[in-house]
Amino acid sequence: DAKTTQPNSMESNEEEPVHLPCNHSTISGTDYIHWYRQLPSQGPEYVIHGLTSNVNNRMASLAIAEDRKSSTLILHRATLRDAAVYYCILRVYNTDKLIFGTGTRLQVFP
Amino acid sequence: DAGVTQSPTHLIKTRGQQVTLRCSPKSGHDTVSWYQQALGQGPQFIFQYYEEEERQRGNFPDRFSGHQFPNYSSELNVNALLLGDSALYLCASSYRRTGDRQPQHFGDGTRLSIL
């Protein structure tokens, strides 16, 4: 299974943008890049996903490098509620199996 | 619209016992996946059920088994419990289709403690 590498932790101040990086150098051409986050005492929550092009939704933006070996999750204005563990996941085409790493713990300060 | 619901929320068992965890998928979803999350770790895929059959399986022993019912709900069974089975067990549901799979929706899990 293809793997992802993320920093263990990051910090941000409230209302500032946050860029969460992810490396996935062994990604194959058909793997989708998914991001989930997990708030304390909750199950993981879907954030965004993409294949090749940058993606935007109401929660975040996903910037994918041209060679697809890395990606960045962008939270445009961090809030205290965004404090969570963020997981970058490669989802193999045509399967539902998600391979989680240890993720990045994001702390947001007022 | 109810999301994914799991029961019970907490459970305490002793070594050697058997346990059954339950999951009701989000309305409209037909696929259920189960994950084990040890403390401080990311979730690990156990298996997935679709059309009442196990479709994919992670690296877990046969002590872990499951079932999916006609209404798409699912059970996870673990036999001969070990101390190492203590974890948060997460259920995720999705709507199956080819190509770009729909995102999975997770429940808040069942916390299983083995004494």
Side-chain angles (χ1 to χ4, degrees):
Chain A
D1 295 319
K3 293 185 178 180
T4 62
T5 305
Q6 300 176 253
N8 288 333
S9 63
M10 293 186 65
E11 298 177 352
S12 175
N13 294 318
E14 205 173 7
E15 298 190 4
E16 288 184 353
V18 180
H19 290 234
L20 297 168
C22 180
N23 288 319
H24 29 79
S25 58
T26 60
I27 191 170
S28 72
T30 54
D31 288 346
Y32 282 81
I33 302 161
H34 284 244
W35 284 82
Y36 283 73
R37 70 180 186 182
Q38 189 170 21
L39 279 65
S41 302
Q42 294 187 21
E45 173 188 30
Y46 167 78
V47 178
I48 200 167
H49 77 284
L51 182 61
T52 57
S53 303
N54 294 345
V55 184
N56 299 295
N57 66 21
R58 64 175 180 81
M59 291 181 68
S61 295
L62 175 60
I64 302 172
E66 196 169 335
D67 63 5
R68 300 205 334 121
K69 294 184 184 300
S70 65
S71 61
T72 302
L73 178 70
I74 303 165
L75 307 180
H76 296 286
R77 292 184 65 191
T79 69
L80 296 178
R81 195 195 172 278
D82 291 323
V85 177
Y86 286 79
Y87 295 100
C88 170
I89 298 161
L90 298 183
R91 187 171 187 179
V92 176
Y93 177 79
N94 228 21
T95 75
D96 291 309
K97 184 178 176 181
L98 298 178
I99 307 299
F100 288 80
T102 52
T104 296
R105 182 173 298 278
L106 175 66
Q107 290 182 285
V108 180
F109 298 104
Chain B
D1 179 19
V4 178
T5 57
Q6 293 186 242
S7 63
T9 54
H10 294 84
L11 200 53
I12 299 174
K13 291 285 188 178
T14 57
R15 281 180 297 173
Q17 286 189 311
Q18 177 265 343
V19 68
T20 298
L21 310 181
R22 295 176 175 81
C23 172
S24 292
K26 180 179 169 65
S27 178
H29 286 182
D30 57 6
T31 301
V32 173
S33 301
W34 286 92
Y35 293 80
Q36 180 195 65
Q37 186 173 24
L39 204 60
Q41 303 295 317
Q44 289 192 47
F45 177 79
I46 301 175
F47 45 52
Q48 180 201 71
Y49 278 82
Y50 170 66
E51 290 185 335
E52 302 179 47
E53 289 190 17
E54 184 182 296
R55 299 292 177 172
Q56 291 178 272
R57 190 178 183 92
N59 188 26
F60 279 81
D62 292 344
R63 297 187 298 109
F64 290 77
S65 63
H67 189 77
Q68 186 179 34
F69 299 94
N71 67 353
Y72 308 119
S73 67
S74 177
E75 289 181 348
L76 165 65
N77 300 293
V78 187
N79 295 322
L81 287 166
L82 304 174
L83 292 177
D85 295 332
S86 294
L88 180 68
Y89 288 84
L90 295 160
C91 171
S93 72
S94 59
Y95 176 65
R96 185 180 179 91
R97 68 179 190 188
T98 58
D100 182 9
R101 301 287 191 176
Q102 294 298 293
Q104 295 188 20
H105 293 250
F106 284 80
D108 288 336
T110 294
R111 173 71 63 186
L112 175 64
S113 299
I114 311 301
L115 303 179

